[in-house]
Structure formats: C-alpha cells, structure tokens
C-alpha cells in the first residue's frame, strides 16, 4: 500500500504530513507554485494517495498531482469535522488529521470536476460578476435620481435609447451629472 499524504493548503504553501506503514510523520512546508509542485510530484509514487483541504486553489493542485498518484481527495470541509473541531488548530495538526483520515478511509471527499466543467464554472462566475456590476451601476443611477427628487422616468427602460435621452435632460448638480455619465460609460463598457 502506498503512502497517505495530507496537505493543509494555503495560498503560497502547503503543510504536508504522511502516513506510511502505519507511522505518521511531518514533511514540512511545500511551496504551492506550479514549478515547485511539479518537482515535488516527481517524488510521488503511483500507489500514493493525497488528501487536500478544500480551498480556492485545491482543484488546481489536485489536477497537477492526480497524474502522479493513485488518488487525490479534496476534503469536504463540512463533513470533515475533526479538523474544524480540533482544539489545537495549526497547519501541522490539520495536515496530520487529513493524512490519518485518508489512511483510515474516513475522509469524505468532494467531486473534482473535469476541465470543461471548471472552465464553464469560471465563465459563469465572471458573467455573474459582470451582471452584479451592471445592476449596481443602474441602482446608483436610480439613487441619483431619487436623491435629487426627480420623477420616475416616463420610459420602461431608463438605460435604452429613449431613457438615456430623458436622463440627459434632467437637471442635476454637476457632480451628480458626472456620476451618472461615469456610470453610463461603465455600463456601456
């Protein structure tokens, strides 16, 4: 049987612990930049298993490592209560618990999506972010109108051609006019 490796993942490094032949040992810190991870991956064996703490970069690390080992498990943080409820919470303790839970086959994992699904998720998140930005800009323009006691626009779409023509005729203080123009440029972009 291969080694069971636990990795407590952070932005720049991972704390690593290994269970091998029933013995637990700390392996120290590992740099989480791609080149260093690839170099470390060369030391892995095909029968090794790795448990990662679920973080923003754990999927990228899992993809990089999965070709070198038998299995990579991204720990489901909601179900991995041993880490969340540990009285002593350090990177070493978290890495050790991950390695031990993996060795005991008690580690509930999460699904690791394929590259196409990850790409679709990224595109969807970017689009949702842009929609939120547009909504925020529109709400700020409506707030300017409300703050200056202007009536409701006589059009259904304030941001369409007729709505913008109406908006351009509204008497606003200079600073508010600049704000509206800047927000409209932002929407156009």
């Amino acid at each position: 049987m291969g080694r069971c490796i636990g990795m407590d993942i952070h932005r720049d490094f991972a704390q690593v612990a290994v269970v091998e032949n029933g013995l637990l040992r700390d392996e120290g810190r590992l740099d989480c930049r791609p080149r260093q991870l690839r170099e470390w991956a060369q030391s892995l064996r095909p029968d090794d298993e790795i448990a990662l703490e679920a973080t923003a970069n754990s999927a990228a690390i899992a993809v990089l490592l999965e070709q070198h080992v038998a299995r990579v498990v991204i720990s489901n943080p909601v179900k991995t209560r041993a880490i969340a409820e540990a009285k002593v919470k350090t990177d070493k303790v978290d890495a050790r618990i991950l390695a031990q839970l993996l060795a005991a086959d008690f580690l509930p994992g999460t699904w690791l999506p394929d590259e196409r699904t990850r790409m679709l998720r990224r595109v969807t998140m970017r689009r949702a972010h842009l929609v939120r930005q547009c909504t925020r800009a529109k709400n700020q323009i409506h707030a300017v109108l409300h703050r200056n006691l202007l009536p409701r626009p006589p059009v259904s779409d304030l941001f369409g051609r007729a709505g913008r023509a109406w908006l351009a005729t509204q008497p606003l203080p200079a600073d508010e006019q600049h704000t509206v123009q800047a927000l409209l440029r932002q929407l156009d972009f």
Side-chain angles (χ1 to χ4, degrees):
M1 181 174 168
R3 301 172 294 181
C4 291
I5 302 167
M7 297 177 70
D8 182 48
I9 305 289
H10 296 270
R11 180 183 178 94
D12 300 319
F13 71 92
Q15 183 70 37
V16 180
V18 177
V19 172
E20 185 174 15
N21 300 322
L23 300 175
L24 175 66
R25 71 176 184 276
D26 293 314
E27 288 289 311
R29 285 187 172 187
L30 171 66
D31 193 310
C32 282
R33 287 179 288 192
R35 190 180 107 251
Q36 286 80 355
L37 283 169
R38 283 188 198 95
E39 288 173 3
W40 180 72
Q42 298 303 315
S43 70
L44 298 172
R45 302 188 304 229
D47 59 345
D48 285 344
E49 295 183 4
I50 299 177
L52 307 175
E53 181 181 44
T55 62
N57 57 350
S58 57
I61 293 171
V63 167
L64 199 143
L65 298 177
E66 69 184 352
Q67 59 193 328
H68 299 278
V69 297
R71 180 171 74 131
V72 175
V73 178
I74 296 179
S75 167
N76 183 333
V78 173
K79 295 181 180 175
T80 311
R81 297 194 172 211
I83 293 173
E85 295 175 356
K87 292 189 191 302
V88 178
K89 183 108 172 83
T90 68
D91 299 337
K92 280 185 180 182
V93 169
D94 289 356
R96 287 176 178 182
I97 290 172
L98 284 170
Q100 290 171 323
L101 289 173
L102 182 63
D105 201 24
F106 286 156
L107 190 66
T110 60
W111 173 66
L112 182 60
D114 60 20
E115 180 53 35
R116 184 175 189 290
T117 304
R118 288 193 300 273
M119 181 268 305
L120 289 171
R121 284 179 174 181
R122 289 189 301 267
V123 169
T124 302
M125 283 190 302
R126 280 193 285 273
R127 185 181 187 292
H129 180 71
L130 289 173
V131 168
R132 282 193 302 274
Q133 284 181 312
C134 286
T135 301
R136 187 176 300 120
K138 289 177 179 182
N139 287 342
Q140 288 176 338
I141 291 171
H142 281 289
V144 167
L145 298 176
H146 188 68
R147 188 169 45 242
N148 288 280
L149 303 176
L150 293 174
R152 289 186 188 275
V155 295
S156 60
D157 182 12
L158 178 60
F159 305 100
R161 184 173 296 167
R164 286 180 182 225
W166 176 85
L167 190 56
T169 65
Q170 298 310 300
L172 290 170
D175 66 308
E176 297 279 47
Q177 190 64 253
H178 291 299
T179 298
V180 168
Q181 290 169 358
L183 290 166
L184 288 173
R185 282 192 306 273
Q186 203 174 33
L187 285 170
D188 291 341
F189 176 76

